[in-house]
Amino acid sequence: MGRLFEPIPRDRVVRRWTQLVVGVAMYGATAGMLVLGGLGLDPWDVLHQGLSRTIGLGIGTWAIIVSLIVLSGWTLLRQRPGVGTLVNAVGVGLVIDLLVSEFHQPHALWARIVLLVGGVVGNGIATGLYIGAGLGPGARDGLTTGIASRGHSIRVVRTSIEATVLLTGFLLGGTVGVGTVAYALAIGPITHFTIPALAIDDGLARLVSKHPPIAQPDAQLTTGS
């Protein structure tokens, strides 16, 4: 098991697990808010929604399936997941499906805007909690850093992956709109503040301060686990 997974830090265990669980639950809830808002999703959720509309199953279910598929490719990239990686891969999708199944999309535009703004800001806070726990990177993060470690720019790799994911999701019927643009513009600056503010490990906080995170929040950084 030690060879397959990153070791679990033994310090501040209660805080780490609390941040992980709250962060994952909040991430799923805020992603669900963006779905209910109907004004545009982040690239990966555009893909998940497109798959849901084309094939069936819930958006959250596809989030889990895609996460596990991406995670299975880590072996080829010589990446090791942490316990937080697995919790994120399953937990976020479960919360998304629960929220979407229990609530209906509001008709009023102001309510949808509130869901959009709350979803983006909340997603950034959730990212700080989850990444800051230092219990493992997200599945998509390992994909990006694994490819980048072969000598490619992480920014180019991230942009290429998310552009491909976004286009595929759009062609499958996923929702691309003002929310997609708002998410892309806001999530980096928000997480640049929340990750170091909530990071348990000092090294992670210093790294974020030097290198602002970009794009998908479950996949900002791999240190600290």
Side-chain angles (χ1 to χ4, degrees), residues 47-163:
L47 174 63
H48 302 149
Q49 188 180 59
L51 289 167
S52 176
R53 289 175 172 175
T54 302
I55 301 175
L57 302 178
I59 297 174
T61 302
W62 276 111
I64 296 172
I65 293 172
V66 171
S67 292
L68 295 178
I69 291 173
V70 171
L71 190 56
S72 68
W74 279 31
T75 303
L76 298 176
L77 297 171
R78 298 181 180 179
Q79 301 287 93
R80 292 196 303 173
V83 63
T85 310
L86 302 180
V87 173
N88 177 276
V90 177
V92 169
L94 292 177
V95 176
I96 292 175
D97 275 349
L98 176 62
L99 192 73
V100 173
S101 66
E102 292 296 324
F103 297 93
H104 298 288
Q105 185 180 89
H107 296 291
L109 179 59
W110 68 266
R112 297 169 67 184
I113 293 175
V114 169
L115 286 173
L116 169 61
V117 175
V120 172
V121 174
N123 214 277
I125 296 172
T127 297
L129 288 167
Y130 161 65
I131 295 293
L135 291 173
R140 295 155 185 79
D141 190 28
L143 175 65
T144 299
T145 55
I147 295 175
S149 67
R150 305 295 178 91
H152 305 287
S153 164
I154 191 168
R155 189 174 295 273
V156 172
V157 172
R158 168 66 68 191
T159 301
S160 300
I161 290 175
E162 297 210 350

